[in-house]
Amino acid sequence: MEKVKEQDLYIERGDDEAYLVRFKQSIAGSTFFFTAKCNKSDSDANAVLSVTASASSDLESLLTLTNTATAALSERSYFYDIQWKSAAGAIKTIIKGKLYVDGDVTTRTT
């Protein structure tokens, strides 16, 4: 069994972030779920950040965290993972780790 890749992510609160997920095989019809939680045992309904994306091409998907979504996060660390749901309905966690949110200095947007 293949071990899930672990990678910590670092973001600035209030910034847009995008993560490109690439595959060597076709992922047409797939869905991706990015979920961040305070505790791994929290329900998905209580996640602090939840993004769903469809495959944006035959081999990749772009998961986008908007500045509005990241602005709502507290300055701290969270647990996150990205799960892949194949067109056939199989679920696989493809990456997981800690999501570190650093406080923003500039908060104005105009």
Side-chain angles (χ1 to χ4, degrees):
M1 177 184 261
E2 187 177 320
K3 183 175 171 29
V4 175
K5 181 178 178 180
E6 292 193 37
Q7 167 111 28
D8 292 340
L9 302 177
Y10 298 83
I11 66 171
E12 296 293 319
R13 184 178 56 210
D15 284 2
D16 291 302
E17 296 290 344
Y19 300 99
L20 186 63
V21 180
R22 288 195 175 126
F23 280 73
K24 294 178 182 178
Q25 64 193 39
S26 175
I27 57 169
S30 296
T31 304
F32 294 86
F33 306 101
F34 180 103
T35 307
K37 301 177 179 182
C38 294
N39 301 294
K40 289 181 180 181
S41 60
D42 292 346
S43 69
D44 285 354
N46 289 324
V48 296
L49 187 58
S50 181
V51 175
T52 302
S54 298
S56 51
S57 77
D58 196 39
L59 298 175
E60 60 189 28
S61 181
L62 186 65
L63 289 158
T64 303
L65 311 181
T66 65
N67 60 59
T68 304
T70 65
L73 298 174
S74 298
E75 185 177 346
R76 58 165 290 175
S77 64
Y78 300 93
F79 295 98
Y80 88 94
D81 71 7
I82 298 174
Q83 286 194 330
W84 166 46
K85 181 178 180 184
S86 72
I91 301 285
K92 171 97 173 130
T93 300
I94 56 174
I95 192 167
K96 66 181 181 178
K98 290 285 208 103
L99 173 65
Y100 294 95
V101 179
D102 198 12
D104 46 352
V105 176
T106 302
T107 58
R108 65 178 181 243
T109 57
T110 57

